[in-house]
Amino acid sequence: MKVLLLKDVYKLGRAGDVKKVADGYGRNFLLPQKLAMLATPGAIKQSEKIRQAALAERARLNTEMGSVAEKLQTVALSFNARAGETGRLYGSITTGDISAAIERETGIHIDRRHIAHQPLRELGTFKVAIRLTVDLIPEISVVVKGLGEEDKAPETAAPVPAAPAAPAE
């Protein structure tokens, strides 16, 4: 099925492009969501007009989201999670967890579907990309620590005096 994209579609194309897609994808997702229309000869004549309108909208969104991207670049999130001896987490840090942490830290709501990363399943530091617009993709730093890692400082407590030995009988 050939469709004319009305809006930018992630991993498919930009508005005004004519793309060949699977029938089910076009019929069940693109057309009902008003992301595309059938590529008829009349619709193809409108493609340049759609492309120009989308270009203006994209430029407006990029300027609007530019300050958000700058703020997100400075964000460093830290998560504590239970992990095994090899550093693998018993659970995972999901995109929903990252989205909620960003909202707590900055007050900016990011949809979990715009976080372009698989769930984190190991200890370490990761760079996670956030898709604000098609052209604007800032990265944040996410640190995953094991529970109790921050408490592993050497102990400086006074030694406990030994109990007196019981008399032998």
Side-chain angles (χ1 to χ4, degrees), residues 129-148:
I130 298 174
R131 228 175 42 262
L132 295 177
T133 66
V134 174
D135 303 323
L136 204 56
I137 305 174
E139 287 187 341
I140 63 170
S141 176
V142 176
V143 178
V144 181
K145 300 179 198 172
L147 285 177

Side-chain angles (χ1 to χ4, degrees), residues 142-165:
V142 176
V143 178
V144 181
K145 300 179 198 172
L147 285 177
E149 272 190 23
E150 60 275 352
D151 299 333
K152 287 188 178 178
E155 294 184 22
T156 56
V160 178

Side-chain angles (χ1 to χ4, degrees), residues 116-128:
H117 207 284
Q118 295 295 318
L120 305 175
R121 293 188 171 97
E122 294 180 351
L123 298 176
T125 303
F126 303 92
K127 289 288 187 186
V128 176

Side-chain angles (χ1 to χ4, degrees), residues 17-83:
D17 292 348
V18 176
K19 296 287 182 171
K20 184 174 173 81
V21 297
D23 291 345
Y25 181 52
R27 186 175 46 248
N28 297 324
F29 178 70
L30 295 174
L31 296 177
Q33 297 290 324
K34 306 247 188 282
L35 298 174
M37 59 194 271
L38 289 174
T40 61
I44 292 174
K45 290 178 186 176
Q46 295 178 357
S47 68
E48 190 58 38
K49 182 179 168 186
I50 292 169
R51 191 174 286 122
Q52 293 302 321
L55 187 64
E57 177 67 14
R58 203 174 304 123
R60 185 190 66 77
L61 273 175
N62 284 341
T63 56
E64 185 178 302
M65 297 301 258
S67 62
V68 173
E70 288 175 10
K71 192 172 184 181
L72 285 176
Q73 293 264 342
T74 62
V75 171
L77 301 177
S78 180
F79 291 96
N80 292 326
R82 288 185 24 190

